[in-house]
Amino acid sequence: MSNLPRQSDIGTILDLAEEEIIAKNKNGTVIAAELALLAASLSTVADFIATISAGIALRQVYIDDLQSQKEQKEQEAQMKDMQDQLNALKKEIKALRGKK
């Protein structure tokens, strides 16, 4: 079931709006100008939201990049530690072989 209004609903809404315009004595140009102002305001708000969203996304990219760099450095440090331990074990093995 669709949430979209039916054609008859739209026609009814337009008829009511026309009656209201006539009752309030507003001409079409004034209504069009008011709608244009409303549309421009909504567009400005949407642009602002899009700008904020882009800023948040960019900040997250920076955070992810920094986290990745941190993890890379930690992995490199662990690899160096492991290599140092291997070198120390090799040295001990050579020393033990030499004592026999």
Side-chain angles (χ1 to χ4, degrees), residues 44-97:
T44 300
V45 169
D47 288 344
F48 174 74
I49 291 170
T51 301
I52 295 299
S53 176
I56 291 169
L58 184 59
R59 182 175 182 264
Q60 189 60 45
V61 167
Y62 288 144
I63 289 170
D64 291 347
D65 188 46
L66 288 173
Q67 183 66 30
S68 178
Q69 288 176 10
K70 179 182 174 187
E71 289 170 0
Q72 179 69 28
K73 285 180 182 179
E74 288 173 357
Q75 286 178 351
E76 288 173 1
Q78 287 176 348
M79 291 295 285
K80 185 181 180 318
D81 264 354
M82 289 170 45
Q83 186 63 48
D84 290 345
Q85 289 173 3
L86 283 173
N87 290 340
L89 286 173
K90 286 179 187 178
K91 191 175 181 180
E92 283 184 41
I93 291 172
K94 284 182 183 179
L96 289 174
R97 283 186 183 165

Side-chain angles (χ1 to χ4, degrees), residues 1-2 16 21 23 25 28 33-35 48 55 60 64 68 74 78:
M1 190 172 240
S2 175
L16 290 172
I21 290 170
N25 244 354
E34 289 173 347
L35 289 175
F48 174 74
Q60 189 60 45
D64 291 347
S68 178
E74 288 173 357
Q78 287 176 348

